[in-house]
Amino acid sequence: MGSDVLITLIGLLIVFVGIVWLIVPSFRLGHSTTEKIVWSGTNLIFQPLARMIFFIVKRAGSIPLILVLIGFVRYGYGFNKLFGHIPCQ
């Protein structure tokens, strides 16, 4: 059980680092202040869908996007290992 908790926490840490890293290109690549705020806000709230849209539109930030997706997969695996055996009644 201890290793499952570690897998889940590492996945959450990877997701957090990726999300913070994703906001930086949103500020850098925006043309106006409004565009910067809109992209940063959507990247913060609607992960990873907004990030995929940002990558398609701006063609930037593929490494943080991959990092977030890997973190979500790792978190989901660890969460499933922790709570997948609980019977539902």
Side-chain angles (χ1 to χ4, degrees):
M1 183 169 154
S3 65
D4 299 335
V5 172
L6 187 62
I7 290 171
T8 305
L9 290 177
I10 289 173
L12 282 174
L13 181 66
I14 291 171
V15 168
F16 178 74
V17 168
I19 287 173
V20 170
W21 191 1
L22 292 171
I23 294 173
V24 173
S26 302
F27 278 115
R28 277 189 319 119
L29 297 175
H31 296 295
S32 66
T33 304
T34 306
E35 185 180 359
K36 291 177 183 183
I37 291 172
V38 168
W39 277 119
S40 300
T42 54
N43 278 330
L44 185 63
I45 296 170
F46 301 112
Q47 283 294 329
L49 181 64
R51 186 64 212 161
M52 289 179 202
I53 294 170
F54 182 80
F55 175 69
I56 291 170
V57 171
K58 298 288 186 175
R59 294 287 181 206
S62 61
I63 294 172
L65 174 63
I66 293 169
L67 189 67
V68 168
L69 292 175
I70 289 171
F72 273 127
V73 168
R74 194 170 173 105
Y75 170 72
Y77 174 77
F79 191 82
N80 187 30
K81 292 289 284 182
L82 276 173
F83 299 108
H85 64 281
I86 297 174
C88 297
Q89 295 182 6

mmCIF file of all heavy atoms in Angstrom, residues 11 14-15 19 47-48 67-77:
data_model
loop_
_atom_site.group_PDB
_atom_site.id
_atom_site.type_symbol
_atom_site.label_atom_id
_atom_site.label_comp_id
_atom_site.label_asym_id
_atom_site.label_seq_id
_atom_site.Cartn_x
_atom_site.Cartn_y
_atom_site.Cartn_z
ATOM 1 N N GLY A 11 2.654 11.201 -9.091
ATOM 2 C CA GLY A 11 1.803 11.623 -10.202
ATOM 3 C C GLY A 11 1.227 13.009 -9.980
ATOM 4 O O GLY A 11 1.206 13.845 -10.889
ATOM 5 N N ILE A 14 3.998 15.590 -10.478
ATOM 6 C CA ILE A 14 4.284 15.786 -11.903
ATOM 7 C C ILE A 14 3.212 16.665 -12.537
ATOM 8 O O ILE A 14 3.509 17.570 -13.317
ATOM 9 C CB ILE A 14 4.404 14.430 -12.627
ATOM 10 C CG1 ILE A 14 5.663 13.705 -12.173
ATOM 11 C CG2 ILE A 14 4.412 14.615 -14.137
ATOM 12 C CD1 ILE A 14 5.757 12.277 -12.671
ATOM 13 N N VAL A 15 1.949 16.416 -12.200
ATOM 14 C CA VAL A 15 0.854 17.233 -12.740
ATOM 15 C C VAL A 15 1.006 18.686 -12.286
ATOM 16 O O VAL A 15 0.861 19.615 -13.087
ATOM 17 C CB VAL A 15 -0.517 16.665 -12.316
ATOM 18 C CG1 VAL A 15 -1.628 17.640 -12.618
ATOM 19 C CG2 VAL A 15 -0.779 15.349 -13.007
ATOM 20 N N ILE A 19 1.498 21.846 -14.748
ATOM 21 C CA ILE A 19 0.512 22.927 -14.818
ATOM 22 C C ILE A 19 1.181 24.282 -14.625
ATOM 23 O O ILE A 19 0.892 25.243 -15.349
ATOM 24 C CB ILE A 19 -0.611 22.698 -13.791
ATOM 25 C CG1 ILE A 19 -1.510 21.554 -14.255
ATOM 26 C CG2 ILE A 19 -1.442 23.955 -13.584
ATOM 27 C CD1 ILE A 19 -2.548 21.129 -13.249
ATOM 28 N N GLN A 47 -7.474 21.803 -17.229
ATOM 29 C CA GLN A 47 -6.381 20.929 -17.645
ATOM 30 C C GLN A 47 -6.901 19.555 -17.971
ATOM 31 O O GLN A 47 -7.828 19.122 -17.312
ATOM 32 C CB GLN A 47 -5.356 20.799 -16.521
ATOM 33 C CG GLN A 47 -4.466 21.975 -16.367
ATOM 34 C CD GLN A 47 -3.562 22.155 -17.543
ATOM 35 O OE1 GLN A 47 -3.169 21.203 -18.189
ATOM 36 N NE2 GLN A 47 -3.246 23.376 -17.837
ATOM 37 N N PRO A 48 -6.367 18.805 -18.856
ATOM 38 C CA PRO A 48 -5.392 19.123 -19.889
ATOM 39 C C PRO A 48 -6.041 19.530 -21.214
ATOM 40 O O PRO A 48 -5.355 19.780 -22.179
ATOM 41 C CB PRO A 48 -4.631 17.815 -20.056
ATOM 42 C CG PRO A 48 -5.628 16.757 -19.805
ATOM 43 C CD PRO A 48 -6.543 17.338 -18.745
ATOM 44 N N LEU A 67 4.171 16.197 -20.080
ATOM 45 C CA LEU A 67 4.420 16.003 -18.649
ATOM 46 C C LEU A 67 3.115 15.911 -17.866
ATOM 47 O O LEU A 67 2.957 15.031 -17.016
ATOM 48 C CB LEU A 67 5.276 17.156 -18.129
ATOM 49 C CG LEU A 67 5.817 17.030 -16.717
ATOM 50 C CD1 LEU A 67 6.827 15.899 -16.660
ATOM 51 C CD2 LEU A 67 6.449 18.329 -16.292
ATOM 52 N N VAL A 68 2.154 16.769 -18.164
ATOM 53 C CA VAL A 68 0.857 16.730 -17.473
ATOM 54 C C VAL A 68 0.122 15.433 -17.793
ATOM 55 O O VAL A 68 -0.464 14.806 -16.901
ATOM 56 C CB VAL A 68 0.009 17.965 -17.840
ATOM 57 C CG1 VAL A 68 -1.424 17.797 -17.391
ATOM 58 C CG2 VAL A 68 0.592 19.205 -17.215
ATOM 59 N N LEU A 69 0.138 15.018 -19.042
ATOM 60 C CA LEU A 69 -0.546 13.781 -19.405
ATOM 61 C C LEU A 69 0.080 12.570 -18.709
ATOM 62 O O LEU A 69 -0.631 11.688 -18.220
ATOM 63 C CB LEU A 69 -0.538 13.604 -20.925
ATOM 64 C CG LEU A 69 -1.376 14.619 -21.703
ATOM 65 C CD1 LEU A 69 -1.186 14.414 -23.198
ATOM 66 C CD2 LEU A 69 -2.830 14.533 -21.320
ATOM 67 N N ILE A 70 1.415 12.534 -18.637
ATOM 68 C CA ILE A 70 2.089 11.444 -17.926
ATOM 69 C C ILE A 70 1.728 11.479 -16.438
ATOM 70 O O ILE A 70 1.483 10.441 -15.819
ATOM 71 C CB ILE A 70 3.615 11.523 -18.134
ATOM 72 C CG1 ILE A 70 3.970 11.139 -19.559
ATOM 73 C CG2 ILE A 70 4.362 10.633 -17.140
ATOM 74 C CD1 ILE A 70 5.411 11.392 -19.932
ATOM 75 N N GLY A 71 1.666 12.671 -15.870
ATOM 76 C CA GLY A 71 1.297 12.797 -14.464
ATOM 77 C C GLY A 71 -0.119 12.320 -14.196
ATOM 78 O O GLY A 71 -0.381 11.648 -13.197
ATOM 79 N N PHE A 72 -1.062 12.658 -15.095
ATOM 80 C CA PHE A 72 -2.440 12.192 -14.931
ATOM 81 C C PHE A 72 -2.523 10.673 -15.021
ATOM 82 O O PHE A 72 -3.253 10.036 -14.261
ATOM 83 C CB PHE A 72 -3.366 12.823 -15.973
ATOM 84 C CG PHE A 72 -3.921 14.154 -15.559
ATOM 85 C CD1 PHE A 72 -3.781 15.255 -16.381
ATOM 86 C CD2 PHE A 72 -4.586 14.312 -14.362
ATOM 87 C CE1 PHE A 72 -4.300 16.482 -16.024
ATOM 88 C CE2 PHE A 72 -5.102 15.532 -13.982
ATOM 89 C CZ PHE A 72 -4.956 16.620 -14.818
ATOM 90 N N VAL A 73 -1.791 10.071 -15.945
ATOM 91 C CA VAL A 73 -1.799 8.614 -16.078
ATOM 92 C C VAL A 73 -1.214 7.969 -14.823
ATOM 93 O O VAL A 73 -1.772 7.009 -14.285
ATOM 94 C CB VAL A 73 -1.022 8.178 -17.342
ATOM 95 C CG1 VAL A 73 -0.763 6.689 -17.351
ATOM 96 C CG2 VAL A 73 -1.779 8.596 -18.587
ATOM 97 N N ARG A 74 -0.115 8.500 -14.357
ATOM 98 C CA ARG A 74 0.523 7.955 -13.151
ATOM 99 C C ARG A 74 -0.368 8.118 -11.922
ATOM 100 O O ARG A 74 -0.492 7.211 -11.111
ATOM 101 C CB ARG A 74 1.861 8.651 -12.947
ATOM 102 C CG ARG A 74 2.727 7.975 -11.965
ATOM 103 C CD ARG A 74 4.114 8.592 -12.018
ATOM 104 N NE ARG A 74 4.888 8.042 -10.946
ATOM 105 C CZ ARG A 74 5.834 7.135 -11.100
ATOM 106 N NH1 ARG A 74 6.133 6.716 -12.296
ATOM 107 N NH2 ARG A 74 6.484 6.676 -10.074
ATOM 108 N N TYR A 75 -1.011 9.272 -11.805
ATOM 109 C CA TYR A 75 -1.932 9.511 -10.695
ATOM 110 C C TYR A 75 -3.124 8.558 -10.776
ATOM 111 O O TYR A 75 -3.533 7.969 -9.774
ATOM 112 C CB TYR A 75 -2.415 10.960 -10.709
ATOM 113 C CG TYR A 75 -3.547 11.219 -9.752
ATOM 114 C CD1 TYR A 75 -3.323 11.245 -8.385
ATOM 115 C CD2 TYR A 75 -4.840 11.426 -10.216
ATOM 116 C CE1 TYR A 75 -4.358 11.472 -7.506
ATOM 117 C CE2 TYR A 75 -5.877 11.654 -9.343
ATOM 118 C CZ TYR A 75 -5.629 11.678 -7.980
ATOM 119 O OH TYR A 75 -6.658 11.896 -7.117
ATOM 120 N N GLY A 76 -3.684 8.389 -11.967
ATOM 121 C CA GLY A 76 -4.824 7.484 -12.134
ATOM 122 C C GLY A 76 -4.471 6.048 -11.809
ATOM 123 O O GLY A 76 -5.255 5.329 -11.170
ATOM 124 N N TYR A 77 -3.291 5.619 -12.209
ATOM 125 C CA TYR A 77 -2.850 4.263 -11.901
ATOM 126 C C TYR A 77 -2.708 4.069 -10.393
ATOM 127 O O TYR A 77 -3.190 3.086 -9.824
ATOM 128 C CB TYR A 77 -1.522 3.957 -12.599
ATOM 129 C CG TYR A 77 -0.935 2.622 -12.213
ATOM 130 C CD1 TYR A 77 -1.455 1.446 -12.738
ATOM 131 C CD2 TYR A 77 0.123 2.534 -11.307
ATOM 132 C CE1 TYR A 77 -0.924 0.217 -12.369
ATOM 133 C CE2 TYR A 77 0.654 1.323 -10.943
ATOM 134 C CZ TYR A 77 0.126 0.164 -11.472
ATOM 135 O OH TYR A 77 0.636 -1.055 -11.107
#
